[in-house]
Amino acid sequence: MTLSFFDQFMSPTYLGIPLMALALSLPWTLYPTPSARWLNNRLLTLQGWFINRFTQQLLLPLNPGGHKWALILTSLMLFLITLNMLGLLPYTFTPTTQLSLNMGLAVPLWLATVIIGLRNQPTIALGHLLPEGTPTPLIPVLIIIETISLFIRPLALGVRLTANLTAGHLLIQLIATAAFVLLPLMPTVAILTATLLFLLTLLEVAVAMIQAYVFVLLLSLYLQENV
């Protein structure tokens, strides 16, 4: 049976039961539980060092009021990185290629930053809709443009993550199919294609980590404007 290249992005089911919840809960079982002991094993030490460095870097430009978001932003970063990296393994499903999931993460968090800004500093939050020194005839147009750009932010967050991961997975499948088909016909070309596939896989590992970082970084920038 010939399968479509887009079949890999279908939500998995088993006996009619959706497995999306299982795919989303799997990453949390892979991380070791932190210990209260002073001396831990190397894995726990590396995990703690990575989380501390990332949290410091993320919260550096934020006011102390935004430091309350440290837990949720760091957890989101680890969650997205794990989902993206597990999706590169064979015979796995990548939940972050689903636009609905990414929008479900982006919209509530973006909306929370906007609500915090409107509650704590409404004048400054509304002032972002009108740049200082705007000529009077352009005020209505600029307010409309800035409002549209504000509401496009969560859409851009979700679409960016979905598009980058989907494009990478499609490229990997296309090149892998080409290498498999060319192997009995032109072995030399197939070996070159397999080499390209290996390099592309390394690139996709980097993209999986970078896109998770960009997602959380942009959320922190939105938060910075409103705290």
Side-chain angles (χ1 to χ4, degrees):
M1 182 177 63
T2 304
L3 297 178
S4 169
F5 284 128
F6 290 92
D7 285 345
Q8 60 176 316
F9 303 118
M10 294 174 59
S11 297
T13 58
Y14 181 73
L15 298 178
I17 302 173
L19 300 181
M20 176 66 83
L22 179 62
L24 292 176
S25 59
L26 178 62
W28 301 117
T29 63
L30 301 179
Y31 286 97
T33 304
S35 172
R37 294 181 301 175
W38 284 9
L39 295 178
N40 298 314
N41 56 38
R42 291 181 176 87
L43 184 59
L44 278 174
T45 304
L46 181 63
Q47 175 182 311
W49 176 85
F50 172 76
I51 292 175
N52 288 335
R53 293 297 300 170
F54 171 73
T55 307
Q56 291 175 7
Q57 184 70 24
L58 190 66
L59 300 182
L60 194 60
L62 291 179
N63 296 329
H67 292 180
K68 301 174 184 177
W69 285 60
L71 179 61
I72 188 170
L73 292 179
T74 306
S75 301
L76 181 63
M77 171 72 174
L78 291 174
F79 184 60
L80 291 177
I81 278 187
T82 310
L83 287 179
N84 295 349
M85 297 288 286
L86 288 176
L88 294 173
L89 297 175
Y91 302 104
T92 56
F93 170 69
T94 313
T96 44
T97 56
Q98 305 293 313
L99 183 60
S100 57
L101 172 67
N102 296 333
M103 293 300 295
L105 293 174
V107 172
L109 292 173
W110 164 82
L111 188 60
T113 62
V114 174
I115 292 174
I116 285 175
L118 291 175
R119 188 185 65 177
N120 295 340
Q121 43 187 16
T123 305
I124 298 176
L126 294 175
H128 290 148
L129 301 179
L130 184 63
E132 188 177 356
T134 304
T136 304
L138 295 179
I139 288 178
V141 178
L142 274 180
I143 290 178
I144 294 174
I145 292 175
E146 290 295 329
T147 304
I148 292 174
S149 68
L150 177 66
F151 282 97
I152 282 178
R153 284 179 173 182
L155 182 64
L157 277 177
V159 170
R160 180 187 297 109
L161 183 58
T162 304
N164 280 283
L165 294 178
T166 303
H169 286 222
L170 282 176
L171 277 175
I172 287 178
Q173 187 170 1
L174 284 170
I175 296 177
T177 304
F180 180 76
V181 171
L182 290 173
L183 187 59
L185 304 176
M186 292 178 285
T188 305
V189 179
I191 292 174
L192 293 176
T193 307
T195 305
L196 178 63
L197 176 63
F198 175 74
L199 296 176
L200 180 63
T201 304
L202 294 181
L203 177 64
E204 281 304 307
V205 171
V207 168
M209 293 187 288
I210 290 172
Q211 287 304 316
Y213 177 71
V214 168
F215 190 94
V216 177
L217 179 63
L218 288 176
L219 277 176
S220 70
L221 293 179
Y222 301 157
L223 181 64
Q224 183 183 352
E225 294 180 358
N226 293 285
V227 294

